[in-house]
Amino acid sequence: MTDRDLDAAIRRMTQSRINRRGFLAATGLGATSAFLAACSSNGSGATAAPSTEASAAPTAAPSTEASAAPPADIEKELFMYNWAAYVSPDNMELFKEQFGVETFTYDVYDNNEVLIAKLQGGASGYDIAAPTAEYVPGMVEEGFLQKLDLSRIPNVKNINKTFKGLWWDPTDEYQVPKDYGTTGILYRKSLISKIPQSWREFYEMIKGEASGKTVFVDSMGDVFVFPLKMLGYSLNSVDQNELEEARQILLEVAPHLYALDSNEYGFKLKDGTSVLTLGWTGPLGQELADEHTAGEAGYVVPSEGTLFWLDTWVMMAEAPHPNAAYAWLNFIHEPEVQGEETNYNLYATTNDPAKEFVNPEILANPAIFPPDDVIASLEGAQDTSGNNQRIDIWEEFKSKIGG
Amino acid sequence: MSATAVPATLPRVARPSTRRRADPFGSLIEVWFRVHTGAVYVFLYLPILVVVLFAFNDTQGVAARFEGFSIRWFEIALDDPVVMKSLTNSFIVAIPNAILATAFGTMAALGLQRVGKRVRLGFDALTYMSVIVPEIVIALATLVLFATSFDAIETLTGIKLKFGYPTIIAAHVLFNTSLVLLLVRARLSGMDRTLAEASEDLFATPWRTFRQITFPLLLPAIVAGFLLSFTFSFDDYVITTFVSGPGSSTLPLFIFGQVRRGVTPETNAVAAMILGFTLAMLLIGQAVLTWQARRAGRRGDTGMAAVVAET
Amino acid sequence: MSADAARGAKLAEPGRFRARLLTTILVAPAAIWYIVLLVLPLVIVVIFSFGTRAKNGGYAPAFVLDNYARALSKPDPFIDSLWMAAAGTIGCLLVGLPLAYFIATRATRRKGLLILLLVVPFWTSFLIRTYAWLLILGPGIGVGTLLGSLVGGGRVDLLGTPFAVLIGLVYGYLPLMVFPLYVTLERMDRTLIEASKDLGAGRWATFRQVTLPVALPGLVTGSILVFIPMMGEYVIPQLLGLGRTYLMGNALVTDFLDARNWPNGSARAVGLIVIMMVTISGYLWFVNRGRRTREVSIL
C-alpha cells in the first residue's frame, strides 16, 4: 500500500461518510428486507455480503446466524448520551431502519466527568451512555447502571477475551466494550533531532530541545502516566512517596510546556508551534493526516509502557427504552457494523470478526492497533480521582505551566 | 469720603461670554470619539468576519488554513438533523427565558421603589449573589435541587417530572432576571419622578401611569434587558449542560462537543447562518416599522432603532 | 423626614392596601424565582460544604470543617483571579465608557442601530468567536504573521500571553459594561452640559461634575456585572492563554469534575461568595458615602 494510497484512504475517511445508500446496498440490506426481517420472529441481523467502498478486503462469507429473536416490542425511541461524533451516522440510520426506531436522540458530553457529575446530581432520562471503563465500577455502586441480560446480547461473543473479565467488570454484566486506545507521544519528525522512544527520553527532550514547544493534554489521568511510568511505578499509584517523586518531575517539566490543551494540540503540532505532545491518536487521522501519511508526524507508545483506555457501552438504570437499548447493544457488535464504526472513529475495535471489515490501512497502523508486544506493556487505568495528593499535585502543576 | 475721579470709561470686566468659547480641543475629541467607536466595532466584528469566512472554507474536515471557497458546509449544516435540532432548541429556550426574565425583572424594579429598606436590601443581596455564584456551582446545585424535588414529587403525587426545556428555562431566567433588574433600576435611579407623581396625584391608575409615563421612559433599559437575556441564554453552556434532558441540547452543547473531535466549518456555517438571519431580521424589522410609521403619518426618527433608542 | 420614613408613613395610610398589594404583585415573581432557584441551591451548596466526599465522588453527609481548611490553604487561584478580573474590568471600562457615551449622544435612529449591532456578534457561539481569536492572534495567520514580519522575520505568537487573555475578556464582557453605562448616560440632560460650559467650566470639570455623577449608577452596575463573573471565568484564559493560568474557575472544575469532590468545591465556592459579597458591600458603601440622595443601593 503506497503512501499515496494511504493518504487517499485517510482522506476518504475524514470526509463526509460514505453514502448511506451505498453502504446499505453493499451490505445487502435494503430497508424493506431489514424491516421485514426485524418484524418476523426469526430474522435478526443482516445477511452480509459486505464490502465498503474504501475497503479492499475480500468479501466475507455471510456471518450472522439467527440470534435470539428481537422482541417485537422495541420502542420507537432511543436516547443516547455520548461523546461527540463517536458513532457512525450510517450505523445510526441503519439501526433505525432495521429496528423501526424513529427517534434516535444523540446528546453530547465532552468528558466523563461531566457525565458522572450529572448522574451524581440526579440527572436521568437516557438509555445508553459511553463512559470510559474505569468509571464503571463507581457507576455500578451508585446504582446508575443496569445489569445486563447477556442472553439478549449474543454478539458479545465477538469480543476479544482480552477485554473480558477485567477488574472493572469481572462478570461483564454491566458494560459492553466499545473501543480502546492508548496515550503516548506525538511528534513532528523533522523538527526534532530524534524520536523519543521512552518517557525518559521524552522528559529529557522537554527540558532540552523541545523546551517551550511541548504540549500536554489537559487530562489528569493521562499526564500522571508520564512520570509514574518513567519511574517504573504503576500509573494508578496512590503511594505517597511515589506520588511525591512524580510531583518533582511534573514540576520540573511544567515551566517548559507551551500549553495544556486537549482540543487544539493537533493543530499546534501541524503548524509546528509544538514539536512534541503527550496525547492521543485522534489527530493522526484528522489534522495531521497529511503529515502522518508523509511520515512526518507520528505516534509512539513509550517503552516503559502506558495506559490503555477502554470506552464502554452501558445501559442506564432507569432507561426508558430498554428494548431498543438492548437492540442497540447487540447491533453495534455485528461485525460489519463494528467495522464501519472503526472506519469512522479511527479507534481500535475490541471485536475480532469486525476486523475483516476494517480498512486495511487502519488495521496496519500501529498507533491505532498496537502490536502484541506493545499491548503487553499496557496498563489499565483506575479511578484515582479521590486521592487528595494527586489533586494537589495536579493543581500545583497547572499553576506552573509556562513558567 | 473724597470723591475719586470716575473714569471716563469703565474698565473692561471679564465676564463669561454668552457665545461658546472657541474650543480647540472640541473637534479633536469628537474625532477621537469617532475613531474609538469605529475601532471598537472593528474589534467586535473582526472575529465574526473570520468565522463567516471560514464557513466557506473548502476543506474536507478540520482546518487551520483557508483553502478555497465552497458552500458545501452550509449544505451539510442544513442537512444535519443534530445541528438543526440544537439550533431550534436554543430558540425554544432563549425566547421564553427572555420574555419571562424581562417581565419579572422590570416588575421587580418598579416594585422595589416602593418597598421598605429591609426588603430592598434583601433583594439587592440576592441579586448580587445570583451574579457572584460561579456557573458550575449553581448548575450542579440546581441539578441536585431539581432531582431531589422531582423524586419527592413523584413519591407524593406520582407525577414524574423530567429534565428538559422547562428546567433549562427556569435556570436561565434566574440569572437574566437579575440582569434586567439591574438595568432597569439603573435607568430608574435618579429619573425624574415628578411626572409620575403628578400623574398619580391626578388620580391616574397605576397602570395608566406606567403605560404612558414610566414605560416609555424605561423602554431602552427594558429592550436592552431583553436583548441581553436572550443572548446569554442562547450562548449558555455550563448551566444548560447540567440541567438539560435528552433531546433538549442547545447549540452551545453541540459546539462544545464538536471541539473534542475537531471543529469543522459546519459549525462556522451554522454561526454564519444565524448571523445572516438575525441581520436580515433587523433590516426587515427596521423597514417594516419605518413603513408602518410613515403610513401612520409620523415623521422623523422611526423604525426599530427608534424603539430601542427612544427617550 | 428621610425618604424612607416618608415612604413608610405613606404606606401606613389607610387605603394604601391596594398600593401594597400592587407592590407585592410586582415583586413576587422575581422573589419566588430567587428563593426557589437561588436560595435553595445555595443552601444545598452550604450543606455540601460541610460534608465529605462519597466513595465514588459526590457528597456524603457529614459535618466537618476540613473542606474550608483546605480551601483556605490554597489561596492562589483566588488571587490570580482577582488580578485578572481587575485588569479585565479596567479594560472594559476604558473601551466601554467612551463607546457608551458616544452612542448615547447620537441621534435616535443611529443610537438604536449601534446598540443592536453591539449585541449581534454575541448571537454566534462564544466558542467559535474565541476560536476565531485563536486564529487571529495565533502564529498561523493574521496578527501573528503580521507582527512577525514587522519585527523582522519569524512568527510572533501572541497566544498564551496575558495580552491575549485580556483581549478575550474585554471582547466577551464588553456589553455587560456598555449597556448599563449607556442606559444611564442616555437619559442625561444635555442642556446641563451646555449650561456648564456656558458658565465657563472646562471639559474636565464638566465631565467630573455633570457627566460622571449621572453615569455613576451605570458605572457601578457595569463594573460589578463585569468584575464578578470574571472572577469565575476560566474558559477564555484556558483557550487564549493556552492553559497557563490556574484560576478560581479552573479550581472549581478540578474540584467538581476531576476530583468529583463536591464538598471541597462547595467550600471553595462559599468562600468565594462570601468574600465577593463583602467586597461588593464595601465598594457600594464607598461609592454611596456622601451622596445626598437615596442611596444607589445597587445603583
Side-chain angles (χ1 to χ4, degrees):
Chain A
M1 186 66 58
T2 66
D3 274 345
R4 214 156 37 115
D5 293 333
L6 185 61
D7 173 55
I10 293 186
R11 269 194 190 285
R12 269 198 303 268
M13 291 178 233
T14 55
Q15 273 178 50
S16 309
R17 309 308 146 199
I18 48 174
N19 164 295
R20 175 171 74 93
R21 203 173 292 142
F23 178 67
L24 288 178
T27 53
L29 294 170
T32 335
S33 64
F35 187 70
L36 286 175
C39 280
S40 82
S41 55
N42 258 345
S44 64
T47 323
S51 65
T52 64
E53 288 169 27
S55 166
T59 316
S63 58
T64 56
E65 315 93 59
S67 28
D73 53 348
I74 293 187
E75 302 91 349
K76 296 283 174 230
E77 297 180 307
L78 186 66
F79 289 162
M80 184 176 287
Y81 199 28
N82 206 335
W83 302 74
Y86 212 21
V87 175
S88 160
D90 291 329
N91 279 338
M92 290 199 281
E93 285 303 313
L94 188 52
F95 175 76
K96 284 162 72 172
E97 299 230 342
Q98 193 170 338
F99 292 93
V101 169
E102 286 161 13
T103 316
F104 194 134
T105 300
Y106 189 97
D107 284 348
V108 161
Y109 54 82
D110 56 338
N111 53 50
N112 286 301
E113 286 78 14
V114 168
L115 168 68
I116 311 275
K118 203 164 162 175
L119 290 174
Q120 279 174 332
S124 59
Y126 289 102
D127 297 306
I128 302 223
T132 310
E134 63 255 31
Y135 293 99
V136 168
M139 289 169 84
V140 172
E141 265 186 35
E142 301 281 326
F144 297 144
L145 304 182
Q146 230 185 80
K147 197 159 175 184
L148 297 172
D149 175 6
L150 292 177
S151 70
R152 296 176 70 174
I153 319 177
N155 278 333
V156 288
K157 66 183 187 315
N158 292 334
I159 297 172
N160 188 306
K161 64 173 169 36
T162 329
F163 304 103
K164 294 191 176 173
L166 293 174
W167 73 272
W168 41 60
D169 186 15
T171 54
D172 292 311
E173 285 178 305
Y174 286 100
Q175 50 76 39
V176 173
K178 183 182 188 300
D179 44 39
Y180 71 97
T182 53
T183 301
I185 305 174
L186 292 139
Y187 60 84
R188 283 294 304 276
K189 186 159 161 202
S190 64
L191 299 175
I192 46 178
S193 64
K194 62 178 175 59
I195 299 174
Q197 297 298 333
S198 66
W199 288 119
R200 188 157 287 276
E201 276 184 42
F202 181 57
Y203 166 67
E204 299 298 336
M205 289 176 79
I206 297 177
K207 295 194 297 178
E209 62 177 281
S211 174
K213 296 192 235 162
T214 309
V215 173
F216 281 12
V217 284
D218 188 359
S219 170
M220 188 169 75
D222 296 282
V223 167
F224 268 89
V225 171
F226 148 56
L228 287 171
K229 277 301 189 188
M230 184 174 114
L231 295 165
Y233 303 138
S234 158
L235 56 92
N236 295 312
S237 166
V238 290
D239 177 280
Q240 212 170 355
N241 297 320
E242 292 175 10
L243 285 179
E244 176 57 32
E245 287 184 66
R247 170 177 171 269
Q248 299 294 345
I249 295 178
L250 285 176
L251 291 183
E252 266 188 69
V253 160
H256 297 278
L257 292 183
Y258 173 66
L260 206 65
D261 182 354
S262 292
N263 303 312
E264 293 285 294
Y265 64 95
F267 282 113
K268 293 183 165 65
L269 269 174
K270 187 180 174 77
D271 63 29
T273 39
S274 72
V275 301
L276 283 180
T277 296
L278 188 162
W280 307 296
T281 58
L284 290 180
Q286 295 180 21
E287 306 95 296
L288 291 173
D290 292 340
E291 287 79 0
H292 180 61
T293 56
E296 164 59 17
Y299 178 85
V300 172
V301 172
S303 57
E304 299 102 327
T306 186
L307 72 73
F308 88 92
W309 52 264
L310 176 74
D311 278 344
T312 63
W313 296 106
V314 294
M315 195 181 320
M316 312 311 300
E318 291 163 7
H321 314 103
N323 297 330
Y326 271 110
W328 172 262
L329 290 176
N330 194 45
F331 167 81
I332 197 65
H333 273 290
E334 294 280 349
E336 319 84 71
V337 173
Q338 183 61 209
E340 160 64 10
E341 281 292 301
T342 306
N343 291 334
Y344 174 82
N345 271 320
L346 304 178
Y347 287 118
T349 179
T350 54
N351 181 321
D352 285 332
K355 289 185 180 165
E356 292 181 84
F357 306 107
V358 173
N359 193 303
E361 298 94 355
I362 304 181
L363 267 182
N365 187 339
I368 300 178
F369 281 94
D372 288 333
D373 57 328
V374 172
I375 291 194
S377 73
L378 299 178
E379 194 182 343
Q382 289 181 14
D383 180 12
T384 51
S385 58
N387 179 285
N388 273 346
Q389 192 183 5
R390 278 187 170 236
I391 300 286
D392 286 340
I393 297 175
W394 179 241
E395 290 197 310
E396 202 183 347
F397 170 70
K398 278 184 103 156
S399 60
K400 297 246 173 353
I401 303 275
Chain B
M1 178 158 50
S2 58
T4 47
V6 176
T9 54
L10 289 170
R12 284 237 123 152
V13 173
R15 65 173 190 278
S17 153
T18 49
R19 201 166 40 88
R20 189 148 305 135
R21 267 188 302 186
D23 199 357
F25 288 120
S27 40
L28 205 62
I29 292 186
E30 271 297 308
V31 167
W32 178 78
F33 264 111
R34 277 175 200 277
V35 168
H36 177 94
T37 303
V40 171
Y41 278 95
V42 167
F43 170 67
L44 280 178
Y45 279 87
L46 189 58
I48 307 298
L49 279 174
V50 172
V51 168
V52 172
L53 184 67
F54 271 70
F56 293 98
N57 198 358
D58 185 15
T59 62
Q60 310 286 39
V62 297
R65 210 151 293 148
F66 194 76
E67 290 174 25
F69 274 92
S70 157
I71 59 166
R72 57 204 287 256
W73 292 107
F74 286 91
E75 294 166 344
I76 293 179
L78 287 168
D79 266 347
D80 186 344
V82 176
V83 165
M84 286 298 120
K85 180 115 209 296
S86 304
L87 190 56
T88 320
N89 286 342
S90 284
F91 277 102
I92 294 180
V93 165
I95 295 180
N97 145 78
I99 295 174
L100 285 176
T102 309
F104 293 173
T106 309
M107 286 164 67
L110 291 170
L112 283 178
Q113 292 184 280
R114 309 146 67 102
V115 300
K117 188 168 182 178
R118 286 250 201 87
V119 177
R120 214 178 57 236
L121 275 180
F123 246 92
D124 287 352
L126 287 176
T127 308
Y128 283 143
M129 289 249 253
S130 67
V131 182
I132 290 176
V133 180
E135 269 204 294
I136 189 168
V137 176
I138 192 82
L140 285 170
T142 309
L143 169 63
V144 171
L145 177 70
F146 281 148
T148 330
S149 314
F150 291 176
D151 279 346
I153 292 176
E154 193 180 352
T155 322
L156 289 175
T157 66
I159 303 177
K160 192 170 159 70
L161 295 171
K162 291 199 274 225
F163 288 89
Y165 301 129
T167 49
I168 308 178
I169 295 175
H172 286 187
V173 165
L174 176 75
F175 177 81
N176 289 317
T177 302
S178 296
L179 200 54
V180 176
L181 182 61
L182 287 173
L183 283 174
V184 175
R185 284 191 71 184
R187 180 84 176 168
L188 273 177
S189 155
M191 201 169 81
D192 191 358
R193 230 23 90 44
T194 56
L195 277 177
E197 280 168 9
S199 165
E200 278 180 7
D201 286 343
L202 290 171
F203 302 111
T205 63
W207 171 247
R208 198 114 191 263
T209 308
F210 173 73
R211 194 163 55 94
Q212 291 187 318
I213 296 178
T214 321
F215 180 71
L217 286 172
L218 285 182
L219 196 55
I222 295 178
V223 174
F226 185 87
L227 285 176
L228 277 185
S229 297
F230 177 84
T231 309
F232 282 122
S233 172
F234 199 74
D235 220 11
D236 179 71
Y237 168 68
V238 179
I239 294 182
T240 315
T241 302
F242 287 103
V243 301
S244 61
S248 54
S249 280
T250 55
L251 194 61
L253 265 61
F254 168 79
I255 295 178
F256 269 75
Q258 286 291 85
V259 162
R260 200 47 86 90
R261 275 304 274 211
V263 178
T264 64
E266 182 187 9
T267 322
N268 292 49
V270 176
M273 288 193 288
I274 297 175
L275 208 56
F277 179 74
T278 44
L279 285 175
M281 284 290 107
L282 281 181
L283 288 173
I284 294 178
Q286 176 85 352
V288 165
L289 285 172
T290 311
W291 177 76
Q292 259 184 354
R294 220 163 270 156
R295 271 188 85 211
R298 265 210 338 243
R299 297 278 214 81
D301 287 315
T302 54
M304 196 154 48
V307 168
V308 172
E310 208 158 87
T311 312
Chain C
M1 254 202 301
S2 76
D4 292 316
R7 216 186 11 240
K10 233 181 171 188
L11 287 169
E13 284 170 24
R16 277 291 166 188
F17 173 72
R18 268 188 71 214
R20 292 196 54 191
L21 183 64
L22 177 65
T23 309
T24 313
I25 294 179
L26 284 176
V27 166
I32 295 175
W33 232 259
Y34 278 152
I35 292 175
V36 174
L37 283 156
L38 180 63
V39 174
L40 287 184
L42 282 177
V43 166
I44 292 178
V45 173
V46 172
I47 293 178
F48 280 4
S49 70
F50 291 108
T52 55
R53 182 184 192 268
K55 176 161 175 268
N56 295 304
Y59 166 74
F63 192 86
V64 294
L65 295 175
D66 300 354
N67 306 303
Y68 284 102
R70 196 178 151 82
L72 286 171
S73 73
K74 296 184 183 203
D76 289 338
F78 179 75
I79 295 175
D80 288 342
S81 291
L82 266 179
W83 282 116
M84 183 189 76
T89 307
I90 294 176
C92 280
L93 198 55
L94 291 176
V95 174
L97 183 52
L99 181 69
Y101 184 83
F102 182 80
I103 300 180
T105 52
R106 293 309 96 195
T108 311
R109 177 182 280 157
R110 281 280 154 70
K111 234 191 294 205
L113 196 63
L114 287 173
I115 284 289
L116 280 169
L117 283 180
L118 201 58
V119 189
V120 164
F122 294 85
W123 292 339
T124 57
S125 159
F126 155 77
L127 198 64
I128 322 185
R129 294 195 304 276
T130 315
Y131 267 67
W133 274 114
L134 278 177
L135 267 169
I136 298 173
L137 292 172
I141 63 163
V143 176
T145 323
L146 202 65
L147 279 182
S149 50
L150 286 177
V151 171
R155 292 145 149 193
V156 170
D157 191 1
L158 288 171
L159 288 179
T161 61
F163 179 66
V165 177
L166 194 61
I167 289 187
L169 289 175
V170 171
Y171 190 83
Y173 286 82
L174 198 59
L176 280 173
M177 176 64 83
V178 173
F179 272 53
L181 278 173
Y182 166 76
V183 152
T184 46
L185 284 172
E186 195 263 350
R187 64 170 163 70
M188 182 173 61
D189 193 348
R190 297 291 292 284
T191 60
L192 283 177
I193 296 195
E194 290 179 14
S196 165
K197 290 203 189 139
D198 282 346
L199 289 171
R203 266 187 193 281
W204 179 245
T206 306
F207 176 72
R208 214 183 58 225
Q209 291 180 334
V210 178
T211 314
L212 205 52
V214 170
L216 195 61
L219 206 107
V220 171
T221 304
S223 43
I224 291 179
L225 274 182
V226 166
F227 184 81
I228 298 185
M230 273 193 191
M231 282 298 292
E233 174 66 55
Y234 69 98
V235 179
I236 295 176
Q238 193 141 327
L239 288 175
L240 294 176
L242 296 178
R244 293 187 197 167
T245 49
Y246 194 69
L247 306 159
M248 271 314 278
N250 297 99
L252 287 169
V253 166
T254 303
D255 279 338
F256 279 108
L257 296 184
D258 290 332
R260 293 201 310 285
N261 192 328
W262 293 33
N264 266 348
S266 302
R268 257 176 165 153
V270 170
L272 176 69
I273 295 173
V274 166
I275 296 180
M276 288 281 98
M277 287 297 280
V278 168
T279 310
I280 306 251
S281 307
Y283 179 52
L284 288 173
W285 171 85
F286 178 76
V287 165
N288 282 325
R289 73 190 186 347
R291 267 175 80 82
R292 292 168 288 107
T293 54
R294 190 177 44 152
E295 67 210 40
V296 175
S297 57
I298 334 185
L299 330 143

